Amino acid sequence: MALPDKHNRNHNYLRISLTEKCNLRCAYCMPAEGIPLLPSAKLMQADEVFAIAKTFVSLGVDKIRLTGGEPLVRKDFDVILRNLASLPVELAISTNGILVDKHVALFKETGLQKINLSIDSLQAEKFAQITRRNDFEKVMRNLDLLLENNFNIKLNVVLMRGFNDDEIIDFINFTKTRKVAVRFIEFMPFGGNDWKADKMLSLEEILGMAKNAFGEKLIALKNHENDTAKNFKISGYAGSWGVISTVTSPFCAGCNRLRLTADGKMKNCLFSNQEMDLLSALREKKPIENLVKIAVWDKHAIRAGMDTPEKFADKNLNQDNRSMIAIGG
Ligand code: SAM
């Protein structure tokens, strides 16, 4: 059994944030004023990422996702990925897609197949508005490149009322000829992101719109134990779509995920403000296995203890966390 907690869950999936830097400025992910960046000496160096990852693998982790910030802005990304590819793990990445063309050969060489690409609008102007950058064409070209090269692609779309909720059906229709899995993410509260419950579109609302638009052609897909999304497809379409309903219908019972921030702190839940400092221990030449086991064991049953809608909406609780860009989404 991989890394058990006291609620009988096993944890075989580690998400490693490689940097707090990003080449986009998505409003929902980071505060408008930005975040103070840590000096690079405080961040995990390539050999430290490898040493910590190796420990998790020895404890049962068999899937690693690289994230950030934007993982592809790290200058030594190739070294990190090649190191990790020597471990018996499935590799995956979450990226905004901007630098993907420079890395396709490396992804192939290292066997990295699973790519989550974030794109919140299919309209160039809106994309620029939310990301505060003009990279829409680049991202779309890189998405095509990944599809041509048969990568396994999920598209992450954070929905916000009055901004991109009018694109839900467009995104579903995007799966008509493209073998991608679109995942609508319920907008979540993090430090400094000005979350309000009424800005969020819920699973129920999204499903209602899809039922109206597609009627009998809407098919619910079978979900697997550790799935974060409730998945659907439209009959005859090449791809599929789903909703990550962390806010209105959390899926914590099947959670197998752990996180490591770019400064080497382990989080047992996206929403947890408790962190285990693995990097300092590693630098002091202390063993980290037990620290990992203790941190996993103590995981709350639901969303770091915010187990009701009221608690989740309480700013005193949900803002007592890093911003998403500093956690690693
Ligand atoms: N730069 C990479 C990317 O764009 O995918 C990886 C990091 S990003 C923080 C990972 C994911 O978190 C993205 O899909 C992003 O849309 C999502 N995300 C960030 N803030 C969020 C929020 N407040 N609610 C829901 N999803 C969020």
Side-chain angles (χ1 to χ4, degrees), residues 15 21-24 26-30 66-72 93-97 116-120 155-160 183 185-190 193 195 246-247 270 323-329:
R15 303 169 67 105
K21 290 188 187 152
C22 189
N23 39 3
L24 294 181
C26 302
Y28 56 79
C29 186
M30 63 194 295
L66 298 174
T67 179
E70 171 52 40
L72 297 181
I93 190 169
S94 293
T95 174
N96 58 32
N116 288 7
L117 194 146
S118 303
I119 181 161
D120 300 318
L155 295 185
N156 284 350
V157 184
V158 180
L159 287 176
M160 275 157 295
R183 286 123 47 93
I185 307 178
E186 288 182 347
F187 176 38
M188 299 182 266
F190 293 102
N193 79 347
W195 181 84
T246 317
V247 182
L270 179 57
S323 59
M324 181 63 136
I325 191 161
I327 298 173

Side-chain angles (χ1 to χ4, degrees), residues 197-262:
D198 59 7
K199 274 197 203 167
M200 180 206 66
L201 274 100
S202 67
L203 165 66
E204 205 183 330
E205 275 178 280
I206 299 163
L207 199 50
M209 288 185 210
K211 276 183 187 151
N212 273 343
F214 298 101
E216 304 269 285
K217 289 180 81 185
L218 175 66
I219 301 167
L221 298 176
K222 197 169 172 331
N223 286 312
H224 302 288
E225 194 198 348
N226 306 123
D227 279 351
T228 50
K230 319 268 185 304
N231 294 305
F232 305 88
K233 75 177 277 142
I234 308 303
S235 173
Y237 281 23
S240 63
W241 64 277
V243 183
I244 301 186
S245 56
T246 317
V247 182
T248 65
S249 179
F251 33 83
C252 306
C255 186
N256 62 346
R257 290 174 294 284
L258 301 170
R259 290 166 192 271
L260 188 61
T261 62

Side-chain angles (χ1 to χ4, degrees), residues 283-308:
R283 288 182 176 177
E284 288 161 20
K285 309 247 177 298
K286 293 182 184 151
I288 60 171
E289 284 85 351
N290 267 337
L291 301 182
V292 172
K293 286 183 191 165
I294 291 165
V296 178
W297 186 256
D298 282 343
K299 179 161 166 164
H300 280 274
I302 297 177
R303 288 184 313 217
M306 293 183 282
D307 48 9
T308 61

